[in-house]
Amino acid sequence: MNNVALKISKNLPLSFIYWLPRLVYLQLLWFLAVLPVVTLITASRAILDSLVLCQQQEMSLNNVGKTYKTFFLKRLQTYFKLDIVYEGFFLLMLADGAIFWQLGTPIGNIIFYAVILTVWLSILVFIYQTLLSKTKISFLYSFYILCKKPTLIVFHIILPFFSFICLFFIGGIYLSLAGISGFFWLNMEIAQKNKLL
């Protein structure tokens, strides 16, 4: 991490000013990248790769866009088949959750919340796997790394949840402008602060 990036990360107001436009820009690029639908996971991996690079070195918005495009195309070439499997899993789980919610029974509601929790944990494992992808680790090993600190999982679930609720009540526009990129950034920060990566 260079000196400028280190100063930015230690100063909270400066960090907010640095990250907000980048998160909004990455969010817009992500929306464009997921239009074909089958690129949802690949576009999300590219956001994480771009966030890591933005954290390591100071980047202009123009360079952020170029970086995202480079990572997206690279991930599309190397991980696309695996990403399709992950995407199918996530979409099936969300469809199952919607079906159980529509049942309107207590058992249906319990299964719905269990499915949502499973999807959330799968997203966290996906984040860890992507952040550690330079070491070519598997999905199961990412799960193991995440579960080494069970209290951390609770922190990963609660902090983004309350952040999204706050953004929702402040103004839904903020949630749509930096929702996905903000979610990935927040979870990346939690993982790095706890020295799991």
Side-chain angles (χ1 to χ4, degrees), residues 38 42 52 60 64 76 81 86 92-93 98 112 116 138 152 166 170 175-176 191 194:
V38 294
T42 306
V52 169
S60 67
V64 170
L76 202 60
K81 290 179 182 175
Y86 287 165
L92 283 173
M93 290 296 283
F112 166 77
I116 294 302
S138 68
L152 187 61
C166 290
I170 291 170
L175 193 57
S176 63
N194 284 280

Side-chain angles (χ1 to χ4, degrees), residues 102-113:
Q102 291 297 323
L103 291 177
T105 62
I107 297 289
N109 290 342
I110 290 169
I111 296 173
F112 166 77
Y113 289 116

Side-chain angles (χ1 to χ4, degrees), residues 9 19 55 131 156 184-194:
S9 67
W19 279 109
Q55 189 182 52
L131 292 173
H156 269 297
F184 284 136
W185 176 76
L186 197 55
N187 280 292
M188 182 184 77
E189 289 289 319
I190 293 168
Q192 289 175 341
K193 291 271 189 288
N194 284 280

Side-chain angles (χ1 to χ4, degrees), residues 25 80 141 160 181:
Y25 190 41
F80 185 65
Y141 187 69
S181 56

Side-chain angles (χ1 to χ4, degrees), residues 38-95:
V38 294
T39 56
L40 177 67
I41 301 296
T42 306
S44 300
R45 284 190 196 275
I47 277 189
L48 283 163
D49 292 336
S50 302
L51 288 172
V52 169
L53 197 60
C54 284
Q55 189 182 52
Q56 291 171 349
Q57 60 189 20
E58 187 182 10
M59 296 180 103
S60 67
L61 282 180
N62 191 28
N63 286 339
V64 170
K66 288 177 183 174
T67 301
Y68 181 82
K69 182 181 176 184
T70 302
F71 281 128
F72 178 74
L73 293 173
K74 183 180 175 185
R75 291 282 185 178
L76 202 60
Q77 292 170 353
T78 55
Y79 285 93
F80 185 65
K81 290 179 182 175
L82 182 62
D83 289 349
I84 289 289
V85 173
Y86 287 165
E87 186 168 346
F89 166 76
F90 285 123
L91 292 177
L92 283 173
M93 290 296 283
L94 290 174

Side-chain angles (χ1 to χ4, degrees), residues 108-131:
N109 290 342
I110 290 169
I111 296 173
F112 166 77
Y113 289 116
V115 167
I116 294 302
L117 185 61
T118 303
V119 168
W120 194 282
L121 288 173
S122 299
I123 290 170
L124 291 179
V125 172
F126 163 76
I127 290 170
Y128 274 74
Q129 185 193 23
T130 303
L131 292 173

